[in-house]
């Protein structure tokens, strides 16, 4: 997609690292990125810019101030549309012409057309493929206009890290963490995700949760036993974030992994 200048749509469950993946790819290639977080309150003026009243030589005058998109389009960069399926369909039509690589018409600035840099592309991140929430976990996700989706030339599913990669990531981030404890944390996260994907529970675990668990465990073991620290970590980072009908299943998965101790 990068080589052919195609706009990309990255989809997957929460915490799989969709935005981070784009940022890391571009960092290794030496390209900058900019991020626009989509939400239902975003307006056209937030994206393309707006007319401001300024005072010059004692007299008020109107001046057009460019928004994020026209400033980004003239650079060799990736413009990330984060959580794009949470944006309002009518507002997203602002991006339609820009996604066709035909430039962006600024009607607020006397119809000036901003031509995109030849290396400028869009990358969208979403919890869906643009057809609505197929999992039932992501409130606020909207089905996208088919003509809008058709402007993206690559749809890429981003899954969670596999267990071996996640173990290495956790051990690199926390070299003082007991390696057997890191293995157990990763095994537990895999069980939680499998149960989430299979519809058994509505709680998942991302690398953010693993970071928190490792931090808390190292802190709690300074004044608690190992088993007490594990119980506190599971409760703080996982169980208390889940609905009551999920907690028994989470406790079962926790016992399966941590019951034997280190």
């Amino acid at each position: 997609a990068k080589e052919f200048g195609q706009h990309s749509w990255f989809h997957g469950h929460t915490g799989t690292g969709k935005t981070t993946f784009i940022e890391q790819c571009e960092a290794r290639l030496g390209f900058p990125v900019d991020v626009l977080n989509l939400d239902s309150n975003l307006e056209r003026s937030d994206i393309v810019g707006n007319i401001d009243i300024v005072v010059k030589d004692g007299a008020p005058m109107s001046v057009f101030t460019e928004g994020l998109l026209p400033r980004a389009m003239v650079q060799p960069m990736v413009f990330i549309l984060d959580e794009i399926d949470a944006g309002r369909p009518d507002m997203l039509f602002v991006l339609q012409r820009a996604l066709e690589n035909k430039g962006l018409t600024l009607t607020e600035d006397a119809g000036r057309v901003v031509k995109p840099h030849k290396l400028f592309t869009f990358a969208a991140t979403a919890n869906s493929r643009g057809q609505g929430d197929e999992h039932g976990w992501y409130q606020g996700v909207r089905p996208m206009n088919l003509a809008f989706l058709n402007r993206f030339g690559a749809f890429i599913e981003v899954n969670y890290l596999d267990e071996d990669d996640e173990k290495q990531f956790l051990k690199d981030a926390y070299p003082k963490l007991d390696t057997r404890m890191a293995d157990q944390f990763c095994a537990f996260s895999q069980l939680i995700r499998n149960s989430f994907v299979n519809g058994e529970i509505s709680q998942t675990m991302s690398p953010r949760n693993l970071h928190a668990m490792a931090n808390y465990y190292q802190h709690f073991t300074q004044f608690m036993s190992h088993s007490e620290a594990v119980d506190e970590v599971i409760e703080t980072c996982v169980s208390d974030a889940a609905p009551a009908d999920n907690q028994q299943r989470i406790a079962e998965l926790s016992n399966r992994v941590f019951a034997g101790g280190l």
Side-chain angles (χ1 to χ4, degrees):
K2 182 74 176 176
E3 182 177 355
F4 298 119
Q6 296 283 353
H7 307 306
S8 305
W9 182 291
F10 294 82
H11 60 92
H13 284 297
T14 180
T16 53
K18 298 178 289 294
T19 303
T20 302
F21 176 75
I22 300 166
E23 291 171 342
Q24 290 297 314
C25 285
E26 297 307 313
R28 283 160 172 75
L29 293 170
F31 288 93
V33 299
D34 205 350
V35 182
L36 176 66
N37 294 100
L38 277 296
D39 62 62
S40 59
N41 294 317
L42 206 64
E43 301 290 343
R44 173 185 168 89
S45 59
D46 298 317
I47 299 175
V48 303
N50 59 282
I51 297 174
D52 296 321
I53 304 299
V54 299
V55 177
K56 186 176 181 179
D57 298 328
M61 59 182 297
S62 59
V63 175
F64 177 74
T65 303
E66 287 188 340
L68 285 173
L69 182 56
R71 293 201 301 268
M73 285 178 65
V74 296
Q75 302 180 59
M77 68 183 305
V78 170
F79 193 63
I80 301 175
L81 303 168
D82 207 25
E83 306 293 353
I84 192 170
D85 49 4
R88 295 201 325 268
D90 60 321
M91 185 276 300
L92 291 174
F93 275 116
V94 175
L95 304 171
Q96 199 97 322
R97 183 177 171 86
L99 282 163
E100 294 176 353
N101 301 321
K102 294 180 179 178
L104 176 68
T105 302
L106 302 175
T107 54
E108 300 88 342
D109 195 21
R112 176 167 63 92
V113 177
V114 179
K115 294 293 185 181
H117 191 284
K118 65 179 181 179
L119 294 177
F120 172 81
T121 56
F122 287 97
T125 67
N127 294 128
S128 75
R129 293 171 169 83
Q131 309 289 339
D133 180 13
E134 62 188 275
H135 306 288
W137 305 129
Y138 303 107
Q139 287 73 26
V141 166
R142 296 182 170 98
M144 296 286 99
N145 182 286
L146 188 59
F148 180 78
L149 288 174
N150 193 245
R151 268 66 178 177
F152 291 88
F155 283 75
I156 301 167
E157 184 171 8
V158 182
N159 292 311
Y160 290 108
L161 290 173
D162 64 37
E163 191 170 352
D164 288 339
D165 288 336
E166 199 158 55
K167 285 178 184 178
Q168 192 60 52
F169 141 76
L170 199 59
K171 290 170 184 176
D172 290 344
Y174 299 93
K176 295 182 180 179
L177 181 67
D178 186 288
T179 56
R180 292 167 296 178
M181 197 68 233
D183 291 344
Q184 289 182 0
F185 278 151
C186 292
F188 177 65
S189 72
Q190 294 292 323
L191 291 175
I192 291 289
R193 289 170 192 158
N194 289 338
S195 294
F196 171 73
V197 171
N198 292 333
E200 298 173 20
I201 59 176
S202 57
Q203 175 69 12
T204 187
M205 281 185 62
S206 71
R208 288 185 288 266
N209 297 114
L210 276 176
H211 269 295
M213 290 174 73
N215 271 322
Y216 283 128
Y217 177 77
Q218 289 183 323
H219 171 68
F220 290 148
T221 49
Q222 296 178 60
F223 50 88
M224 289 181 181
S225 69
H226 163 74
S227 60
E228 289 174 330
V230 169
D231 289 343
E232 194 69 25
V233 163
I234 299 301
E235 182 178 331
T236 303
C237 300
V238 186
S239 296
D240 280 0
D245 59 354
N246 286 188
Q247 292 181 3
Q248 179 58 40
R249 180 59 176 160
I250 292 171
E252 292 171 2
L253 298 177
S254 174
N255 287 335
R256 186 187 303 180
V257 176
F258 300 109
L262 288 177

